[in-house]
């Protein structure tokens, strides 16, 4: 009887442990589900708040918010076309500068770098993303702008005789669309480089070996086998960098010049949607002005959301192809 009682006690103990484990699994599953749902719920809550605050401006002004260039608070005119133009142009300049550098760094780290150098260089590149934007802005004011005003802009305009072209016409102010694009390029570079490096390292070894077996050189192997395989992921990284550039506020506000005019010249001051909101939000004195600024924020939110969604989809498509 003693042995039988011990067996029953041991069986009850195991059953209790299993029941407790099941309860723990259930609690853990509920907690992780709640945490996972909080993030999209926050995005939805932000979107609802922004669009609700922007609705009075949209209902009264319509599409003139993004098609008109007349921003006159006193007369109730709110046209953010120069800010939209400046956002797109400065981000395009940033991608033109940052993309070749970032992809070059990614190829070096994934294909050519010795193992002892890969981690320190990758860390230093990623460290660019950790620098506060106000520090970039201060560096732009005290280092970049004087350099552009005294050397780079005169070189383009006078030495290369590009001053007659629309892109480099006008006086060299220093604060300009070009300065904003360079700052954004530095800030977007680590994002593009990190994603590109990961997708390049995810390319199967068989791709490289097959290209080398067919007689390709190392560079031809990278150009014709590795990069095409990772193209979607690289494009996704570029678009993530674009999303970073679109929403940057402080650094751009400090170097772009904040002039609400559309100009073809890269040497002229400009405006972005983020800098427009940063400069005027604290000074909004009436409901329509505040709603117009929220409408600008809603347009910027929508553009950034679309860009990041497309980027994530491209990166996911590369991961799915790798799994196959």
């Amino acid at each position: 009887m003693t042995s039988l009682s011990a067996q029953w006690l041991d069986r009850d103990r195991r059953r209790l442990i299993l029941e407790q484990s099941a309860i723990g699994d259930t609690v853990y599953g509920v907690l992780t589900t709640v945490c996972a749902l909080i993030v999209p719920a926050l995005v939805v809550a932000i979107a609802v708040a922004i669009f609700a605050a922007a609705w009075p401006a949209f209902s009264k002004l319509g599409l003139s918010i993004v098609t008109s260039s007349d921003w006159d608070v006193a007369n109730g005119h709110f046209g953010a076309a120069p800010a939209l133009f400046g956002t797109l142009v400065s981000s395009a300049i940033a991608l033109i500068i940052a993309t070749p550098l970032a992809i070059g760094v990614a190829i070096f780290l994934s294909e050519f770098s010795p193992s002892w150098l890969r981690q320190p260089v990758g860390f230093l590149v990623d460290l660019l993303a950790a620098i506060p934007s106000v520090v970039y802005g201060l560096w732009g004011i005290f280092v970049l702008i004087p350099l552009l005003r005294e050397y780079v802009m005169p070189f383009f305009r006078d030495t290369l005789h590009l001053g007659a072209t629309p892109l480099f016409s006008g006086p060299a102010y220093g604060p300009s669309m070009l300065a904003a694009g360079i700052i954004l390029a530095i800030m977007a570079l680590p994002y593009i480089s990190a994603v590109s490096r990961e997708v390049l390292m995810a390319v199967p070894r068989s791709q490289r070996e097959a290209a080398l077996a067919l007689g390709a050189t190392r560079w031809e192997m990278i150009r014709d086998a590795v990069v095409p395989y990772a193209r979607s992921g690289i494009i996704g990284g570029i678009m993530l960098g674009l999303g970073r550039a679109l929403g940057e506020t402080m650094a751009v506000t400090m170097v772009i010049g904040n002039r609400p005019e559309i100009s073809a010249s890269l040497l002229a001051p400009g405006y972005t949607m983020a800098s427009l909101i940063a400069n005027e939000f604290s000074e909004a004195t009436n409901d329509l002005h505040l709603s117009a600024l929220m409408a600008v924020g809603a347009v910027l939110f929508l553009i950034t959301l679309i860009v990041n969604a497309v980027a994530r989809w491209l990166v996911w498509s590369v991961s799915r192809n790798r799994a196959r």
Side-chain angles (χ1 to χ4, degrees):
M1 293 296 294
T2 305
S3 176
L4 184 61
S5 299
Q7 291 178 359
W8 279 104
L9 289 174
D10 186 60
R11 183 179 302 174
D12 291 340
R13 188 181 298 109
R14 289 199 300 269
R15 184 182 299 111
L16 180 61
I17 293 173
L18 290 175
E19 291 176 353
Q20 291 176 346
S21 299
I23 294 173
D25 290 342
T26 302
V27 173
Y28 180 76
V30 171
L31 289 177
T32 54
T33 302
V34 171
C35 292
L37 293 177
I38 285 176
V39 176
L42 286 174
V43 175
V44 172
I46 293 171
V48 170
I50 292 175
F51 282 95
W55 178 247
F58 279 128
S59 61
K60 182 173 182 178
L61 304 174
L63 293 179
S64 64
I65 294 177
V66 294
T67 59
S68 173
S69 300
D70 184 16
W71 188 275
D72 187 351
V73 178
N75 295 318
H77 299 157
F78 300 98
L84 177 60
F85 174 81
T87 299
L88 297 178
V89 171
S90 60
S91 299
I93 296 172
L95 289 189
I96 292 171
I97 297 173
T99 298
L101 293 174
I103 295 177
V105 170
I107 292 176
F108 171 76
L109 292 178
S110 62
E111 303 294 336
F112 296 103
S113 174
S115 57
W116 61 268
L117 186 61
R118 181 174 299 147
Q119 186 172 359
V121 173
F123 171 76
L124 290 175
V125 174
D126 294 340
L127 188 62
L128 290 174
I131 299 175
S133 61
V134 67
V135 175
Y136 280 113
L138 291 173
W139 177 82
I141 290 175
F142 293 108
V143 178
L144 180 62
I145 288 180
L147 183 66
L148 291 177
R149 182 173 54 241
E150 297 175 13
Y151 301 102
V152 177
M153 292 179 176
F155 175 77
F156 283 128
R157 188 186 57 193
D158 302 326
T159 305
L160 297 181
H161 303 291
L162 296 176
T165 62
L167 287 178
F168 297 96
S169 61
Y173 293 108
S176 60
M177 199 75 72
L178 179 61
I182 293 174
I183 287 289
L184 290 176
I186 298 172
M187 300 180 74
L189 189 149
Y191 296 90
I192 302 174
S193 176
V195 175
S196 299
R197 183 171 71 246
E198 291 300 322
V199 296
L200 287 173
M201 295 182 69
V203 175
R205 187 176 181 85
S206 59
Q207 290 285 116
R208 298 175 173 84
E209 294 175 347
L212 294 174
L214 291 174
T217 63
R218 193 172 186 181
W219 168 243
E220 290 172 341
M221 175 265 294
I222 295 171
R223 183 191 64 191
D224 299 329
V226 177
V227 173
Y229 189 92
R231 183 182 295 114
S232 296
I234 293 174
I235 295 174
I238 294 171
M239 298 192 72
L240 283 176
L242 175 60
R244 177 71 176 89
L246 288 171
E248 175 52 39
T249 303
M250 186 54 66
V252 174
T253 303
M254 297 171 73
V255 300
I256 199 171
N258 301 309
R259 189 170 71 184
E261 296 179 5
I262 295 178
S263 174
S265 177
L266 301 181
L267 309 185
Y271 224 176
T272 66
M273 290 187 285
S275 59
L276 171 62
I277 297 172
N279 284 329
E280 298 199 11
F281 194 84
S282 61
E283 300 176 358
T285 57
N286 58 70
D287 293 340
L288 184 60
H289 187 190
L290 181 61
S291 181
L293 293 174
M294 295 300 290
V296 174
V299 174
L300 181 60
F301 177 85
L302 188 62
I303 294 174
T304 306
L305 188 64
I306 292 173
V307 168
N308 281 275
V310 173
R312 292 294 181 184
W313 178 80
L314 290 172
V315 174
W316 172 78
S317 67
V318 170
S319 300
R320 183 183 60 178
N321 292 335
R322 181 190 177 191
R324 291 178 179 177

